[in-house]
Amino acid sequence: MKTNPLLTLCLLMLGSWQLTEATAARSTQPTQINFTNTMPTEGNLVLGIFQDGVLGPQAQAMDQDSNGALSHAIKAADFEAKIKTTHLITAPMGSGFDQILLVGLGEQDKSKTNLQWQEIGGHAVQQAVKAFKTVPTITMDISELDNSIEINANVAYGAKLGSYYFDKYYTDEKRHKHQQRLTFITNQADQTSQYYTQELNPVADGIWFTRDIANEPANIIYPQSFVDQWRSHFKGIDHIKIHSLDEKDMLKQGMGAIYGVGRGSKNPPRMMIVEYMGGEKGQAPIVLVGKGITFDTGGISIKGSSNMWNMKFDMSGAAATIGTVYALAGREAKVNVVGIAALAENMPGGNAQRPGDVVTSMSGKTIQIRSTDAEGRLVLADGVYYGDITYNPALLVDIATLTGSASRALGKDYGALFTRHDELVAPFIEAGKQSGDEVWQLPLNDNHFKAIENNVADVMNSGPDAPGASAGAAFIGTFIRDTTPWVHLDVAGVSWSDKTTPVKASPGSTSFGVRLLNQYIKTHFEKE
Ligand code: BES
Ligand code: MN
Ligand code: ZN
């Protein structure tokens, strides 16, 4: 075989470094949201109507212009306008429009929550993508309601989340559903736009980037590229400080637990730390720590092959913590918050750690590795300890796709919450209900801590005599002072889903945690 001397030289120069992956992907920017006062006069339209049959002002005007043809067409369609239903009609002759997608708004009362309006927006835009491919101007036609600014902004926010599609790898243009822009008509366009841009769009973008980074395959997102991608998203955002520890820093700081997980991979581990200090100087920050396993093969305790591809999502917790910091910084929240992503790729190989190995964590506590597949708690051991002692947090939350056990217990509807601080349970459940990222408590008691005690080292990374999710929680808690208010979120069941919901169209990352933590922090830490 003839070898190309130039190629050989390049390969020699690269040594063991990874070649950058070539991909055919095109990049997609988050959908732009616009508000306008001007009603279009032609094309297609998405139009909200209430159940009581009384048309909003824009529909009324159209109805008059068409001599009652619009209200006639709606009646003929027999559309009840129940919430989260739509109906496509041919626009009345002479209206100038082609087709109108009617969107049910349910009853015209004031009881709908922001979350319900978000879901109306998301559902409507998904139906509009199906009907028109390029979504036309949308109006909920509610300018007569008292809080129409907040409502329209929430509809737009839900519509943006609901029309996230991970379609960058499709080379067939016909399969693309991504919308460059969504335009909403309201007679308070400027105020709505201002409110939306300040309060909601940064959260939508944080969710967008979280989904993007979680959905990317593991040949694209590995520890260093995770750091690089987030760094580029944060460009231009104020009060942000980012640093990243590499494997040498880890060894220097004694982070033997995360180092041990990463050592089997050619893609070395990283710890990414993003500080957003938007609150008072010196005020104790909230610290969020995420499990960032960019791919979990199980290591030497290797997983079965059938669903292993899905383990590219095993960095969803880390993505959500940095996504939350992005959301808070983007809306200039008056809080101090630190996001820590504990990043490693869990691979088998000649240099991988073995079951039975003993590693020393940054805390000084020693750990016997029982299963190299219980790796999330290992990277978190060093992540939460570092966060706890460096920042003395007012609240520490870790979020991790930690156990199949949590996912079997709670399914797809709730993330699992564990804490030693019972007063945190109710407010977290409430923040979950308000935001749509719901959580439910699972137990954490002294027996769970006992179950991870070990006769070779201080602790071991699995507790065969305790329920799996609780043993995982106890292990992480071992590395946090019990005086630090701490919540552990096991999101193994809820971080990705094949199901379409109004706020998530395509299969894949749900960005679970961003909406929850944004809501919790808004309610409990942001002073008016
Ligand atoms: N990343 C997995 C947990 C997981 C499993 C997430 C399925 C989503 C779907 C985690 O690292 C893991 O392998 N956990 C083991 C722990 C066990 C070895 C103690 C598990 O849950 O089986
Ligand atoms: Mn694992
Ligand atoms: Zn894992």
Side-chain angles (χ1 to χ4, degrees), residues 291 296 303 311 314 371 373 375 377 401-404 492 496:
K291 168 178 173 180
D296 182 12
K303 288 182 181 297
M311 285 299 139
D314 213 20
S371 168
D373 198 11
E375 82 299 335
R377 63 200 73 185
T401 49
L402 205 73
T403 66
W496 58 86

Side-chain angles (χ1 to χ4, degrees), residues 179-241:
Q179 306 292 311
Q180 302 281 46
R181 126 177 334 96
L182 295 174
T183 303
F184 295 84
I185 314 161
T186 159
N187 62 1
Q188 292 157 302
D190 288 347
Q191 296 102 303
T192 310
S193 174
Q194 210 176 3
Y195 176 83
Y196 173 80
T197 306
Q198 178 64 38
E199 290 299 318
L200 297 175
N201 196 57
V203 186
D205 280 346
I207 287 171
W208 195 282
F209 297 140
T210 298
R211 288 180 183 178
D212 267 352
I213 227 161
N215 282 330
E216 285 286 6
N219 58 329
I220 303 299
I221 292 297
Y222 42 92
Q224 183 61 50
S225 63
F226 179 104
V227 175
D228 295 340
Q229 283 217 3
W230 273 117
R231 255 187 211 283
S232 73
H233 292 321
F234 275 105
K235 280 212 179 89
I237 295 187
D238 289 342
H239 305 295
I240 287 285
K241 239 200 239 152

Side-chain angles (χ1 to χ4, degrees), residues 109-120:
D109 55 15
K110 290 182 180 153
S111 66
K112 272 194 276 296
T113 61
N114 283 340
L115 180 58
Q116 281 175 307
W117 283 112
Q118 290 158 25
E119 290 179 344
I120 287 172

Side-chain angles (χ1 to χ4, degrees), residues 11 14 82 134 138 161 165 173 208 212 218 293 313 335 338 385 429 484:
L11 288 172
L14 280 162
K82 289 210 170 97
T134 300
I138 300 169
L161 298 185
Y165 297 94
E173 191 55 42
W208 195 282
D212 267 352
I293 300 300
F313 288 110
V335 287
V338 181
Y385 181 81
I429 289 177
T484 301

